[in-house]
Amino acid sequence: MTTKKLLSLAVALAMAASTSATVFAADYPSDDDDDGNTTVVDTPTYGNGTSASAPTTVVTASTVSNVIRDAASKGTTATVYIDQTATISRSVLNNLSAPITLKASNYRITVDPSKMSEVTNIDCGVKANAPAAQATFEKFFKEPVATIACAQQGSFGGTITLEIKPDNLGKIDTSKTIYVFSWNPKTNSYSKMGTAVLLKNGQIRCEVSRGYNLILSNAASFTAK
């Protein structure tokens, strides 16, 4: 694994600080000004994650146990349906007995206990575009990129498999090798994670060991502008 610093550290860090910090927050707005005229809207109903119509925000040990048992009887991979804000705790993962797929509306994460070396809490949110990363790499490097934003700010505790279709996938050539990097905007450094493959449904599949922002490129290294 290689880790490199980007060019113009001060400029890139300023961009990251002003942009990347709100990548997820912008989708979950709140209003602290209660003037007494608040309109109550329907609140989404969440379930236990055993069906697409009842996604969960917290993956529990009982749900994991149930889906693993059900999948074993059918010879399939256990699936838990999740919301964008879903989390799975260290304690649940520490007792994971078989691979599970955490399936959201537009992406899926597969966690295999045999690939987890240091169990940690996982924030499961993933977005198909990382605006701060996209802007930074387009500003400083010649190679086109597509980007993904992960809610997990750090290690996954091992290697997880991610499947998603990035919004800017058309910027790179999917018929060629797709390299995957993880960019940490706080330290302004990126690490090569490996490569991704294009699936028939238009999504890409890659294995990564940490989140932050994921950068997809046909280049194994970047050339400064």
Side-chain angles (χ1 to χ4, degrees):
M1 180 182 296
T2 59
T3 301
K4 298 182 179 179
K5 292 284 184 179
L6 297 183
L7 298 178
S8 302
L9 181 61
V11 176
L13 281 177
M15 182 182 299
S18 63
T19 310
S20 63
T22 60
V23 171
F24 280 87
D27 289 326
Y28 309 107
S30 61
D31 185 356
D32 294 329
D33 297 325
D34 186 356
D35 57 5
N37 296 314
T38 304
T39 300
V40 178
V41 296
D42 291 337
T43 301
T45 300
Y46 298 104
N48 61 7
T50 56
S51 69
S53 60
T56 186
T57 57
V58 178
V59 181
T60 65
S62 60
T63 293
V64 169
S65 177
N66 289 338
V67 296
I68 287 178
R69 183 172 59 251
D70 184 57
S73 66
K74 298 176 181 177
T76 59
T77 298
T79 299
V80 177
Y81 295 88
I82 61 171
D83 176 73
Q84 275 275 359
T85 61
T87 60
I88 182 167
S89 70
R90 178 188 294 106
S91 61
V92 173
L93 290 169
N94 196 46
N95 292 294
L96 197 61
S97 60
I100 59 167
T101 293
L102 307 170
K103 189 177 187 304
S105 59
N106 65 327
Y107 68 89
R108 63 176 66 196
I109 294 172
T110 299
V111 181
D112 185 339
S114 69
K115 297 181 179 180
M116 305 303 285
S117 57
E118 184 180 352
V119 179
T120 187
N121 299 328
I122 294 179
D123 288 324
C124 304
V126 181
K127 293 187 181 297
N129 192 6
Q134 191 78 37
T136 299
F137 277 74
E138 288 180 348
K139 180 178 179 65
F140 294 108
F141 298 111
K142 295 180 180 180
E143 292 77 14
V145 299
T147 58
I148 300 166
C150 296
Q152 184 73 0
Q153 297 298 292
S155 172
F156 284 105
T159 302
I160 60 97
T161 302
L162 170 65
E163 295 178 18
I164 190 173
K165 183 177 181 180
D167 290 342
N168 294 320
L169 191 59
K171 288 181 174 287
I172 62 177
D173 189 344
T174 55
S175 68
K176 297 180 180 179
T177 301
I178 303 173
Y179 294 94
V180 182
F181 304 83
S182 169
W183 177 55
N184 179 352
K186 291 184 178 180
T187 60
N188 198 40
S189 61
Y190 61 90
S191 297
K192 185 185 292 183
M193 296 285 100
T195 58
V197 296
L198 181 68
L199 305 178
K200 291 182 179 180
N201 62 4
Q203 294 186 332
I204 58 98
R205 177 188 293 145
C206 60
E207 292 190 343
V208 294
S209 59
R210 70 180 203 175
Y212 301 115
N213 296 319
L214 301 181
I215 314 299
L216 308 180
S217 174
N218 294 129
S221 60
F222 295 99
T223 307
K225 286 185 175 179

